[in-house]
Amino acid sequence: MAPAVAGGGGGGRRNNEGVAANGNAAPCVCGFPVCACTGAAAVASAASSADMDIVAAGQIGAVNDESWVAVDLSDSDDVSGGGAAGEVQGALDDRPVFRTEKIKGVLLHPYRVLIFVRLIAFTLFVIWRIEHKNPDAMWLWVTSIAGEFWFGFSWLLDQLPKLNPINRVPDLAVLRRRFDHADGTSSLPGLDVFVTTADPIKEPILSTANSILSILAADYPVDRNTCYLSDDSGMLLTYEAMAEAAKFATLWVPFCRKHAIEPRGPESYFELKSHPYMGRAQEEFVNDRRRVRKEYDDFKARINGLEHDIKQRSDSYNAAAGVKDGEPRATWMADGSQWEGTWIEPSENHRKGDHAGIVLVLLNHPSHSRQLGPPASADNPLDFSGVDVRLPMLVYVSREKRPGCNHQKKAGAMNALTRASAVLSNSPFILNLDCDHYINNSQALRAGICFMLGRDSDTVAFVQFPQRFEGVDPTDLYANHNRIFFDGTLRALDGLQGPIYVGTGCLFRRITLYGFEPPRINVGGPCFPSLGGMFAKNRYQKPGLEMTKPGAKPVAPPAMATVAKGKHGFLPMPKKAYGKSDAFADTIPRASHPSPYAAEAVVAADEASIAEAVMVTAAAYEKKTGWGSDIGWVYGTVTEDVVTGYRMHIKGWRSRYCSIYPHAFIGTAPINLTERLFQVLRWSTGSLEIFFSRNNPLFGSTFLHPLQRVAYINITTYPFTALFLIFYTTVPALSFVTGHFIVQRPTTMFYVYLAIVLGTLLILAVLEVKWAGVTVFEWFRNGQFWMTASCSAYLAAVLQVVTKVVFRRDISFKLTSKLPAGDEKKDPYADLYVVRWTWLMITPIIIILVNIIGSAVAFAKVLDGEWTHWLKVAGGVFFNFWVLFHLYPFAKGILGKHGKTPVVVLVWWAFTFVITAVLYINIPHIHGPGRHGAASPSHGHHSAHGTKKYDFTYGWP
């Protein structure tokens, strides 16, 4: 828990530094409008706002509120004021921009106790296993002990970081009060939004256009919001689609502002069956919506016809130019100029991986003052006379690519966008989104900024939003939502040093990408405040961060030469580490917020700045620089997101988790089994690459929170589980055939320890789903897909990374296709039943067959009289069916369209089971003499007739 805010007291006193005498918020001397210097009454009012889940311009609320309680950081519960109106006004002035909630003690304390109870029970269980060896199969005993050690270790790695889950809820009413002005302007910091795409075919261009439109329509100051699209394909199709989106935005964005449309992605909005109205012109809404819907249908038709139009236009221009067969055929833009990127018919210097850099400004910087639209007329049937019609800046970027250069995939594209945006807009904050993600909640950008401007937020490097998806089948067959990870693990990490960076939907502080260190370092957090004091450190030597020092007085921006400090002047690293662009290097000290170098006004992008942006995205720009190692997104792994966040955490930076409702961003998930497995393969391979690199969390700095280190070790080692899980999903079933079991003679204490271990696991799961706000069904579904992924993608990841480490071979992955393969008109989930066979499916299929055959053999031996203690066989058979239950979604997926009927899966399993049992009973040489002859030479006794009969004691498999 954070320390109490100084300056509080009884009798309704206020901190004079935090609130002016007239009741309005006075700027703090630290330079932040909202900061840790705010009066104590601010925190007291946070508890009173715990029930305010719906604010004036968007619904922002906590998930599962009954499980959380506001954290009281002050000694005073009273808020003064002259009457009811004064109390409300004062509370709004003093309230922090976000409130912190901790889990209720009735859930948290049993949760913590059960973790240690299970740890003790598991330790006793393992001790029992070590003491009771299996002399008939020592290899089986040794391997099983190693597996149990690993399962216990991995469980501990996953559980320890969840000891202190907290929840943070942004307060948008306070943010508006602090930063928005009556004249329609705002003092919120600038925000650059990065959208990346690599293939307009696999990543449908209409989805990208919807993402761009939702960003342009977001509720954020227009002159402080800039959108950048990175197109790694370099195709004209993407650019012209964005040009069409920019034209449609002149209608869509004012329509959203006038009628408070939610969500602001047009495709998702028009698919809604009901449209709850939140605007102020309801009588005009029906006609306006009908008009905009018609224009959107025309817009989609133009987007879908672009590929044909571009080809037809290019053929026409090439014919007019007299291009002969065999000569390069250029791709032509609408203005009659040749496209500098990839051509439809690839040619030298105009193909994927070999084309010039392109930076084109589709929408330039808007003015700072509001611009109201025209009233309704014959040419303009929509009345925008009271609506601000300005649009945010929109820039198309396609970095230069040349043969022989390693372009570093998405990480390289993000670093190129970072440099290009610095010379064009240089906003202090950056939000990255995938091209299939759109802004579902128009307040999402403001919600994320709350965590960057709140108390002690100058040490926050990034804010991670959970990933939400649409188009997922109602049963979420392959656990695409993954809410156990997002709402459980990441929310719990927020109580430590912060959540892990997991890709799309992350808001960054720009200077953290440049290698700056935080102004203060305290890794203790709410869990270990005394431990944090051991590593606490103040750092204020960076000019870009000077104004974050408590007690510092604002000063006029001095000349750059007079404030250069440190070994490398105003930069944290040598200037050559950032590249050869002086213009880019000059933007670095201006990237902090607030900054002594901040410009009073943003100028429109001119030819010189655009040319500079093209230069910093050149293919050779990063040679002999720190990009990809110490600066920007980190190279060397396919999970550049995790390792980039890790590099920030080991410097002492913190992160925050922001989960709001309605969900901030929504994307498209691969619901096809093959694409889902390849997606998990890419993630797990990247995790192992981090483990075998210099970024191994075992060797991170002492500024990394101890439990944060545990979380990173878990995220980089979890694929190793496949090695032991495959053993445990096959050997117990084969034991029915061989007669050698993992535990040969279990005792009463064995069952007691096992019952405690399994019972505490189930109770912990119930408590976790309670405070995480997920359902028990989602927990079970997550466990089912974990089994599928472990037996397929995790195993493949281990083999690939071992090959890479031993033979020094690079690993390549194909782009995950978001293009549906099924007939979505007849069935929206048609792609779920499309079977694309891959080698990743082999291992799960073998495991299914082994467990069915093993259970059938056990059943046949009982029927044949070979085994008499059938009740003890039931434990092993139950374990086999537990494995089959977890692989049920996989079995349903590989059956394709037949898998729509779950009975078919059960019928196939039963058929295989019966056939195996019948064959075993009726083929003598398989099972031996059976009930009519001698059985196993060991573990038997003589029957009344003098015949040795097999009688075994079954152990837990």
Side-chain angles (χ1 to χ4, degrees):
M1 183 181 295
V5 181
R13 290 182 299 168
R14 291 188 185 176
N15 189 328
N16 293 330
E17 293 180 352
V19 181
N22 60 0
N24 295 326
C28 179
V29 294
C30 73
F32 281 93
V34 182
C35 65
C37 309
T38 309
V43 187
S45 64
S48 66
S49 67
D51 296 328
M52 192 179 74
D53 291 339
I54 302 178
V55 295
Q59 303 174 14
I60 304 294
V63 179
N64 198 19
D65 287 330
E66 69 272 11
S67 300
W68 301 86
V69 61
V71 178
D72 187 7
L73 304 179
S74 68
D75 298 325
S76 173
D77 295 325
D78 188 21
V79 180
S80 65
E87 291 179 2
V88 174
Q89 179 73 20
L92 194 62
D93 286 337
D94 291 341
R95 215 162 56 204
V97 288
F98 65 87
R99 70 178 186 266
T100 301
E101 300 173 336
K102 63 180 180 180
I103 188 173
K104 289 183 178 179
V106 69
L107 294 177
L108 180 61
H109 300 321
Y111 186 76
R112 290 175 174 174
V113 170
L114 284 172
I115 290 175
F116 290 100
V117 169
R118 188 174 192 270
L119 180 60
I120 294 172
F122 181 79
T123 303
L124 295 175
F125 175 79
V126 173
I127 292 174
W128 187 97
R129 291 277 289 109
I130 294 175
E131 292 176 347
H132 294 74
K133 298 180 176 62
N134 185 355
D136 295 335
M138 287 298 295
W139 70 271
L140 193 62
W141 176 80
V142 172
T143 308
S144 64
I145 290 293
E148 285 160 7
F149 265 117
W150 176 258
F151 291 141
F153 177 67
S154 60
W155 171 82
L156 199 61
L157 292 180
D158 180 67
Q159 210 66 54
L160 285 180
K162 299 178 182 178
L163 289 174
N164 189 56
I166 66 171
N167 192 49
R168 304 182 197 271
V169 183
D171 196 331
L172 299 187
V174 174
L175 189 75
R176 292 184 183 277
R177 173 72 180 174
R178 299 268 174 161
F179 294 93
D180 292 356
H181 310 306
D183 60 355
T185 60
S186 176
S187 57
L188 282 171
L191 177 63
D192 292 340
V193 183
F194 293 173
V195 181
T196 55
T197 182
D199 191 328
I201 306 302
K202 290 186 177 181
E203 299 172 325
I205 195 64
L206 183 61
S207 176
T208 305
N210 270 269
S211 176
I212 298 298
L213 289 168
S214 70
I215 295 169
L216 299 180
D219 185 7
Y220 201 80
V222 182
D223 56 323
R224 297 173 184 270
N225 179 15
T226 306
C227 179
Y228 293 86
L229 175 71
S230 170
D231 176 24
D232 258 10
S233 70
M235 297 180 66
L236 179 59
L237 175 62
T238 306
Y239 169 74
E240 294 209 353
M242 294 307 102
E244 290 289 346
K247 294 177 184 177
F248 179 69
T250 59
L251 178 67
W252 172 251
V253 174
F255 169 71
C256 291
R257 292 172 182 164
K258 178 180 178 180
H259 297 292
I261 298 300
E262 297 286 347
R264 299 200 173 179
E267 186 71 19
S268 298
Y269 171 71
F270 288 121
E271 285 182 353
L272 293 177
K273 295 181 179 179
S274 61
H275 302 273
Y277 189 75
M278 300 174 61
R280 295 185 297 271
Q282 189 167 3
E283 63 280 357
E284 303 176 22
F285 172 66
V286 174
N287 291 331
D288 287 357
R289 182 185 179 280
R290 184 182 298 114
R291 177 72 180 184
V292 174
R293 177 59 189 265
K294 180 180 180 302
E295 293 294 332
Y296 180 66
D297 290 339
D298 294 341
F299 165 75
K300 287 202 300 183
R302 292 194 299 272
I303 292 290
N304 294 330
L306 274 177
E307 188 173 3
H308 176 266
D309 293 343
I310 294 173
K311 188 176 186 310
Q312 191 176 46
R313 179 203 310 148
S314 299
D315 290 342
S316 177
Y317 275 110
N318 288 326
V323 178
K324 299 180 181 179
D325 293 340
E327 295 181 352
R329 300 179 63 83
T331 298
W332 296 78
M333 301 176 66
D335 61 0
S337 59
Q338 289 188 4
W339 177 245
E340 297 180 357
T342 303
W343 288 353
I344 297 175
E345 299 182 14
S347 178
E348 187 177 359
N349 297 324
H350 293 284
R351 55 176 174 243
K352 287 185 178 181
D354 183 16
H355 61 78
I358 306 170
V359 176
L360 296 172
V361 178
L362 293 165
L363 297 171
N364 216 322
H365 279 294
S367 62
H368 289 282
S369 58
R370 297 183 64 189
Q371 293 181 358
L372 301 181
S377 63
D379 298 331
N380 182 33
L382 275 66
D383 182 10
F384 291 149
S385 57
V387 182
D388 187 359
V389 296
R390 292 177 300 161
L391 297 177
M393 184 178 182
L394 175 61
V395 183
Y396 171 90
V397 179
S398 182
R399 56 184 174 139
E400 181 189 20
K401 289 188 173 183
R402 296 302 177 193
C405 293
N406 188 348
H407 304 109
Q408 302 295 345
K409 302 180 178 64
K410 183 179 179 180
M414 297 297 290
N415 285 335
L417 279 180
T418 302
R419 297 188 296 269
S421 64
V423 299
L424 292 177
S425 55
N426 199 34
S427 298
F429 299 103
I430 295 172
L431 172 70
N432 78 284
L433 289 176
D434 288 346
C435 64
D436 63 310
H437 278 66
Y438 65 89
I439 297 181
N440 180 64
N441 188 333
S442 63
Q443 308 299 312
L445 304 185
R446 288 177 175 267
I449 285 293
C450 283
F451 298 108
M452 291 295 194
L453 305 180
R455 63 180 76 255
D456 296 328
S457 292
D458 53 342
T459 59
V460 175
F462 60 88
V463 177
Q464 180 66 61
F465 289 83
Q467 296 178 14
R468 309 299 190 195
F469 302 100
E470 64 183 2
V472 178
D473 60 294
T475 62
D476 194 11
L477 196 62
Y478 307 127
N480 283 284
H481 290 304
N482 201 11
R483 290 194 60 194
I484 299 299
F485 174 74
F486 287 111
D487 293 330
T489 302
L490 293 190
R491 178 175 277 116
L493 289 176
D494 205 6
L496 303 176
Q497 201 170 343
I500 295 170
Y501 170 37
V502 291
T504 182
C506 192
L507 178 67
F508 281 96
R509 191 180 299 273
R510 183 183 284 267
I511 59 171
T512 62
L513 296 169
Y514 294 154
F516 279 89
E517 295 175 339
R520 292 182 307 282
I521 297 178
N522 190 322
V523 300
C527 260
F528 303 96
S530 58
L531 177 64
M534 297 171 58
F535 298 104
K537 188 173 182 180
N538 290 334
R539 297 182 178 183
Y540 297 112
Q541 67 271 27
K542 307 302 181 188
L545 300 174
E546 276 184 344
M547 295 189 71
T548 65
K549 180 179 180 180
K553 295 183 178 180
V555 295
M560 187 178 299
T562 63
V563 297
K565 297 180 180 180
K567 183 178 179 180
H568 307 298
F570 57 86
L571 301 177
M573 282 179 280
K575 185 177 180 180
K576 64 180 181 180
Y578 296 91
K580 298 181 180 180
S581 173
D582 293 334
F584 168 71
D586 292 342
T587 67
I588 296 176
R590 297 181 173 88
S592 61
H593 175 79
S595 168
Y597 307 97
E600 292 297 328
V602 180
V603 297
D606 54 15
E607 293 185 0
S609 59
I610 293 175
E612 190 69 25
V614 173
M615 193 271 284
V616 297
T617 60
Y621 182 85
E622 295 182 353
K623 287 185 177 180
K624 298 182 179 180
T625 68
W627 288 98
S629 56
D630 300 315
I631 305 172
W633 273 261
V634 180
Y635 300 154
T637 173
V638 294
T639 52
E640 72 288 333
D641 43 13
V642 175
V643 69
T644 299
Y646 167 76
R647 295 292 292 274
M648 296 176 183
H649 278 144
I650 62 175
K651 290 183 179 180
W653 287 100
R654 297 179 298 152
S655 56
R656 294 268 167 82
Y657 181 70
C658 180
S659 178
I660 61 177
Y661 187 83
H663 304 310
F665 314 108
I666 291 182
T668 303
I671 65 174
N672 177 267
L673 177 60
T674 303
E675 295 295 341
R676 179 74 167 118
L677 289 178
F678 274 112
Q679 184 185 61
V680 175
L681 173 61
R682 185 171 65 250
W683 293 342
S684 52
T685 300
S687 295
L688 289 176
E689 285 179 327
I690 298 173
F691 183 79
F692 288 104
S693 70
R694 67 187 183 98
N695 295 306
N696 189 313
L698 289 171
F699 311 111
S701 72
T702 57
F703 294 126
L704 193 64
H705 190 289
L707 293 184
Q708 191 81 17
R709 188 187 307 274
V710 171
Y712 273 112
I713 294 174
N714 182 42
I715 205 72
T716 56
T717 59
Y718 71 89
F720 288 123
T721 302
L723 301 177
F724 301 99
L725 189 63
I726 290 176
F727 170 85
Y728 261 85
T729 53
T730 54
V731 171
L734 294 175
S735 296
F736 288 123
V737 179
T738 63
H740 295 294
F741 298 93
I742 293 178
V743 179
Q744 199 70 16
R745 289 184 178 86
T747 65
T748 301
M749 292 309 300
F750 169 83
Y751 289 114
V752 170
Y753 295 148
L754 187 63
I756 296 175
V757 169
L758 297 179
T760 51
L761 178 64
L762 292 176
I763 299 174
L764 282 170
V766 172
L767 293 175
E768 185 171 338
V769 300
K770 180 67 175 176
W771 61 254
V774 300
T775 63
V776 176
F777 175 79
E778 288 173 317
W779 182 79
F780 274 112
R781 187 65 88 194
N782 189 79
Q784 286 180 316
F785 189 75
W786 170 80
M787 177 76 78
T788 301
S790 298
C791 297
S792 56
Y794 293 178
L795 178 63
V798 172
L799 297 177
Q800 285 188 344
V801 173
V802 169
T803 302
K804 176 183 178 180
V805 172
V806 175
F807 299 103
R808 302 293 180 182
R809 295 180 58 183
D810 291 334
I811 302 174
S812 60
F813 287 95
K814 67 174 185 177
L815 183 67
T816 301
S817 177
K818 303 298 176 62
L819 187 66
D823 189 355
E824 289 194 319
K825 293 182 179 179
K826 295 182 179 180
D827 185 353
Y829 309 115
D831 198 43
L832 180 69
Y833 310 112
V834 176
V835 180
R836 301 188 184 98
W837 288 99
T838 171
W839 60 276
L840 294 176
M841 298 178 179
I842 296 175
T843 308
I845 292 175
I846 293 175
I847 293 174
I848 289 174
L849 294 176
V850 167
N851 280 271
I852 294 176
I853 293 172
S855 301
V857 169
F859 181 72
K861 286 185 176 183
V862 172
L863 290 182
D864 199 39
E866 188 174 345
W867 289 350
T868 59
H869 297 277
W870 63 271
L871 285 176
K872 296 179 180 179
V873 177
V877 174
F878 173 80
F879 180 82
N880 291 352
F881 277 96
W882 178 85
V883 173
L884 294 175
F885 166 76
H886 278 76
L887 291 175
Y888 172 80
F890 172 82
K892 186 177 178 181
I894 61 175
L895 289 177
K897 293 183 178 180
H898 300 290
K900 293 183 179 181
T901 306
V903 177
V904 175
V905 181
L906 301 178
V907 169
W908 275 106
W909 283 355
F911 179 77
T912 307
F913 181 90
V914 172
I915 291 298
T916 304
V918 170
L919 289 176
Y920 185 89
I921 294 174
N922 289 278
I923 301 179
H925 71 273
I926 293 182
H927 60 85
R931 77 182 81 177
H932 304 293
S936 174
S938 61
H939 305 295
H941 64 274
H942 291 282
S943 66
H945 299 285
T947 304
K948 185 180 288 186
K949 190 171 183 179
Y950 186 80
D951 180 16
F952 83 108
T953 303
Y954 175 75
W956 187 260

